[in-house]
């Protein structure tokens, strides 16, 4: 075929004997439009805020602004707890009692009545807000704003905070982190999720007409993830400069969360302190989230106790045992821990840091290999093709790994391959 340029930015693709495409644009506004689209998508998932013109044409009033209930032993959410945790015994390491009722929780609610948990983002088309997913969003936004060149300064993505002189990625991370902070009980633990009071999904109403909500109990996986996310955000210089009061608040909450975790482990043991609630965060029990919390607090404080715990819990970041299905590098909390330590400061064991950095690079090169072996240039897993099955594939996920790998000192040829794969996934 032949690429025919029309002026500086418009082009058509012409193939002899087949025809010519419609004109399309080549230029910096193309990825800018993609970034704007992702930012708009996150805005539409915001909870607890009026969505208004001109930020979006899909306007609606704020949703789920009423305080959520702290449930008791006879609350209608308890059958949902029992159903969600019913397969706990399939894991031989799950030696804690089933969390089938709030009365079975190893970490009873200290707060009572109703609490404000407005804000954050809806997880999907339902309006639940999952702590571990919320923490993951904070990690990805904070990591990108801190380490991806130019990302932290973007202030024109079309969200309500755009144009105020503070990077939009920091603003979106703050919106999520303020919600996470509300989930912390006075003992330092974090609730697992915010859910409709008596059913799983509000699938027949718009969010502003949604159900009354309830807090699910605390567990160590959710508490470790929230602790890690708040610590990671507080440690980012760009965030601390823009929001010093929130940085201090999140620092204090992260240290309180760590105290909760260490007390739980000391009281119930490594395995006995974990109670499953749903499949969220259950792949490695709480092991990966604990590693991420240790890495994030080391990055925040430079205190050697956190680095020691990280290396105790994650002695070999390159081990197949910390990969999903033994081949998916940088999965879940393990990936967050490895990225956080690989690029963070505050000294520490440089040999260990080198292993982490290499794993970040190899994670990106894995995605290059997948993109190379895909007709569309997407990093669709070659490993999944073996089974003729896959699900929940989003090109933004491998693109994040590819961008992270660019920060891990690739060679010139590796950098070229990484950038080509980023464009393929975009």
């Amino acid at each position: 075929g032949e690429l025919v340029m029309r002026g500086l930015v418009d082009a058509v693709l012409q193939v002899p004997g087949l025809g010519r495409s419609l004109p399309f644009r080549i230029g910096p506004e193309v990825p800018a439009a993609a970034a704007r689209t992702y930012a708009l998508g996150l805005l539409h998932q915001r909870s607890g805020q009026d969505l208004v013109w001109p930020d979006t044409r899909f306007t609606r009033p704020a949703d789920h602004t009423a305080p959520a209930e702290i449930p008791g032993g006879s609350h209608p959410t308890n059958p949902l707890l029992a159903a969600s945790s019913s397969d706990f015994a399939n894991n031989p390491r799950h030696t804690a009692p089933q969390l089938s009722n709030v009365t079975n929780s190893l970490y009873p609610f200290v707060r009572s009545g109703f609490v404000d948990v407005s804000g954050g983002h809806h997880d999907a088309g339902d309006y639940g807000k999952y702590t571990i997913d919320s923490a993951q969003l904070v990690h990805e936004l904070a990591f990108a704003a801190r380490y991806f060149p130019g990302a932290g300064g973007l202030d024109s993505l079309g969200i309500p905070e755009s144009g105020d002189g503070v990077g939009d990625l920091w603003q979106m991370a703050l919106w999520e982190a303020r919600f996470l902070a509300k989930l912390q009980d006075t003992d330092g633990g974090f609730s697992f999720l915010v859910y409709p009071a008596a059913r799983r999904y509000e699938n027949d109403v718009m969010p502003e007409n949604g159900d009354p909500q309830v807090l699910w109990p605390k567990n160590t996986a959710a508490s470790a993830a929230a602790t890690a996310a708040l610590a990671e955000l507080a440690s980012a210089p760009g965030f601390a400069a823009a929001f010093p009061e929130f940085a201090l608040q999140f620092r204090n909450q992260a240290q309180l969360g760590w105290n909760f975790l260490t007390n739980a482990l000391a009281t119930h043991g490594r395995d006995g302190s974990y109670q499953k609630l749903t499949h969220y965060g259950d792949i490695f029990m709480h092991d990966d989230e604990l590693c991420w919390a240790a890495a994030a607090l080391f990055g925040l404080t430079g205190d050697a106790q956190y680095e020691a715990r990280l290396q105790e819990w994650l002695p070999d970041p390159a081990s197949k045992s910390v990969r999903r299905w033994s081949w998916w590098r940088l999965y879940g909390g393990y990936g967050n821990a490895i990225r956080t330590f690989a690029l963070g400061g505050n000294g520490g064991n440089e040999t260990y840091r080198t292993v982490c950095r290499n794993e970040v690079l190899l994670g990106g090169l894995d995605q290059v290999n997948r993109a190379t072996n895909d007709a569309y240039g997407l990093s669709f897993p070659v490993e999944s093709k073996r089974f003729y099955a896959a699900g929940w594939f989003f090109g933004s996920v491998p693109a994040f790994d590819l961008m992270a790998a660019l920060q891990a000192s690739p060679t010139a040829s590796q950098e070229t391959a990484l950038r080509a794969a980023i464009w393929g996934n975009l």
Side-chain angles (χ1 to χ4, degrees):
E2 177 186 4
L3 191 64
V4 181
M5 300 299 293
R6 292 179 167 180
L8 294 177
V9 292
D10 288 331
V12 294
L13 184 64
Q14 180 173 291
V15 181
L18 288 180
R20 174 180 290 196
S21 73
L22 293 170
F24 57 91
R25 176 78 32 116
I26 296 174
E29 65 271 26
V30 176
R36 156 64 176 160
T37 301
Y38 274 106
L40 187 62
L42 272 177
L43 176 63
H44 289 154
Q45 294 298 102
R46 280 197 192 185
S47 180
Q49 182 178 33
D50 293 328
L51 299 187
V52 299
W53 177 264
D55 300 320
T56 176
R57 61 192 176 96
F58 298 103
T59 60
R60 60 171 174 81
D63 67 281
H64 297 101
T65 56
E69 186 177 4
I70 302 289
S74 59
H75 195 276
T77 200
N78 283 300
L80 299 180
L81 292 177
S84 295
S85 62
S86 61
D87 61 350
F88 78 103
N90 292 346
N91 181 357
R93 287 183 57 196
H94 196 301
T95 56
Q98 180 189 3
L99 218 173
S100 58
N101 187 292
V102 294
T103 59
N104 301 127
S105 175
L106 295 176
Y107 316 106
F109 287 109
V110 183
R111 296 183 293 181
S112 61
F114 291 80
V115 294
D116 172 26
V117 290
S118 60
H121 295 82
H122 303 141
D123 185 69
D126 59 276
Y127 311 130
K129 295 185 288 190
Y130 300 74
T131 303
I132 290 173
D133 287 2
S134 295
Q136 182 68 29
L137 176 61
V138 171
H139 166 74
E140 293 177 4
L141 289 168
F143 189 90
R146 183 172 182 177
Y147 296 113
F148 295 174
L154 291 171
D155 190 28
S156 57
L157 293 179
I159 62 173
E161 298 85 0
S162 293
D164 66 353
V166 178
D168 288 346
L169 270 64
W170 297 124
Q171 302 273 19
M172 289 188 278
L174 175 61
W175 183 266
E176 190 67 34
R178 291 177 68 182
F179 159 71
L180 273 181
K182 295 176 181 180
L183 300 183
Q184 189 173 40
D185 205 344
T186 54
D187 63 356
F190 290 79
S191 290
F192 186 79
L193 60 79
V194 177
Y195 232 30
R199 58 173 174 165
R200 290 187 182 279
Y201 305 124
E202 298 156 272
N203 56 354
D204 55 1
V205 293
M206 291 296 288
E208 63 269 24
N209 299 316
D211 297 17
Q213 292 187 312
V214 66
L215 278 177
W216 274 28
K218 297 165 282 191
N219 82 349
T220 46
S223 297
T227 294
L230 294 180
E232 189 174 340
L233 189 58
S235 70
F239 180 81
F243 302 107
E245 293 182 2
F246 281 115
L248 178 60
Q249 174 191 329
F250 296 159
R251 179 191 185 100
N252 292 337
Q253 288 191 260
Q255 291 179 321
L256 182 61
W258 179 264
N259 293 340
F260 169 85
L261 294 168
T262 54
N263 289 336
L265 294 172
T267 303
H268 303 287
R270 175 75 174 275
D271 290 355
S273 58
Y274 172 76
Q275 288 182 298
K276 180 196 174 186
L277 277 159
T278 75
H279 65 278
Y280 286 93
D282 188 55
I283 300 299
F284 301 107
M285 294 178 49
H286 58 188
D287 295 350
D288 56 328
E289 288 89 4
L290 288 171
C291 290
W292 179 24
L297 276 157
F298 179 67
L300 175 65
T301 67
D303 190 327
Q305 66 164 314
Y306 302 117
E307 183 187 29
R309 277 301 184 110
L310 173 63
Q311 294 184 34
E312 173 192 346
W313 293 334
L314 184 61
D316 181 10
S319 171
K320 290 185 177 181
S321 65
V322 301
R323 302 175 192 168
R324 181 76 161 114
W325 297 308
S326 80
W327 56 262
W328 188 341
R329 281 183 171 92
L330 306 175
Y331 186 89
Y334 281 134
N336 299 347
I338 291 168
R339 276 186 293 268
T340 300
F341 193 87
L343 291 167
N346 278 329
N349 187 322
E350 284 303 318
T351 300
Y352 189 84
R353 191 183 308 279
T354 298
V355 175
C356 289
R357 287 178 70 88
N358 191 56
E359 198 65 11
V360 172
L361 177 59
L362 291 174
L365 295 177
D366 283 351
Q367 303 293 9
V368 168
N369 178 62
R370 293 167 189 143
T372 303
N373 285 279
D374 183 82
Y376 300 96
L378 292 165
S379 295
F380 185 89
V382 176
E383 297 82 357
S384 294
K385 294 179 182 179
R386 299 170 186 166
F387 302 99
Y388 295 92
W392 305 112
F393 176 79
F394 302 98
S396 56
V397 175
F400 182 80
D401 282 347
L402 290 159
M403 276 298 299
L406 280 176
Q407 320 312 316
S409 305
T411 65
S413 60
Q414 288 171 339
E415 179 176 345
T416 298
L418 289 164
R419 291 188 182 280
I422 288 170
W423 286 112
N425 283 285
L426 179 61

